[in-house]
Amino acid sequence: MVSIGKPETGKRLVDHLELPHGDQYLFVDPENTLYDSLDLNRGIKETFFSVETPFAFLDRFTKPDGMKQLGLVIRKWDKAFYIPPKQEQAFNQGGTFVFDGATTVFAHYDASTGAHSNIEEVIGLAKERRRLQADTGELVEG
């Protein structure tokens, strides 16, 4: 995972969210280098006033256990609120990417607040990619 912020903020976030071994896979991008390179969506309109935002929330509210998951996130969010190093970073939208070396295997640009990729599908894709590499004898690290 890559997030805006400073290393000490990343450490506090990993500790707060109780992510097992989170420090091994959370990387911080205080200068916005990766966000800029990937040309992720940003801005007040995209963050708060995009038509995709209410649809993303509707999806969350109507899927099984969606409200339960949202409640869990909100209960932890109040102590995980950090001010980004640069003011304009507060309006960055994220994304989900799977890379295999220089090859982009999967790319999802969050269109607005809450408009995330289906993480189960992404994890399945990454696992399948790794399995195919193992089956074909390609170098698999980790």
Side-chain angles (χ1 to χ4, degrees), residues 59-111:
D59 181 55
R60 168 71 71 181
F61 296 149
T62 58
K63 75 179 195 179
D65 291 326
M67 289 300 294
K68 179 181 176 184
Q69 291 173 354
L70 183 61
L72 292 171
V73 169
I74 289 173
R75 278 195 292 280
K76 285 196 169 226
W77 181 81
D78 69 330
K79 293 181 181 70
F81 180 79
Y82 303 108
I83 296 175
K86 298 178 179 182
Q87 184 177 3
E88 65 270 11
Q89 290 172 319
F91 302 110
N92 282 358
Q93 293 302 313
T96 307
F97 302 87
V98 176
F99 299 105
D100 184 358
T103 302
T104 303
V105 177
F106 177 85
H108 170 86
Y109 290 79
D110 293 353

Side-chain angles (χ1 to χ4, degrees), residues 98-106 121-141:
V98 176
F99 299 105
D100 184 358
T103 302
T104 303
V105 177
F106 177 85
E121 288 179 15
V122 175
I123 291 170
L125 174 71
K127 286 181 176 179
E128 178 64 14
R129 183 74 175 205
R130 187 171 177 94
R131 187 191 65 74
L132 288 172
Q133 288 177 332
D135 290 350
T136 60
E138 291 182 40
L139 178 62
V140 178
E141 297 179 14

Side-chain angles (χ1 to χ4, degrees), residues 2-4 29 32-43 46-47 88-89 91-97 99 106-112 115-116:
V2 176
S3 179
I4 57 173
D29 183 16
N32 228 59
T33 305
L34 186 60
Y35 278 73
D36 292 341
S37 296
L38 292 171
D39 196 25
L40 292 166
N41 294 320
R42 68 184 81 197
E46 290 77 6
T47 303
E88 65 270 11
Q89 290 172 319
F91 302 110
N92 282 358
Q93 293 302 313
T96 307
F97 302 87
F99 299 105
F106 177 85
H108 170 86
Y109 290 79
D110 293 353
S112 67
H116 308 298

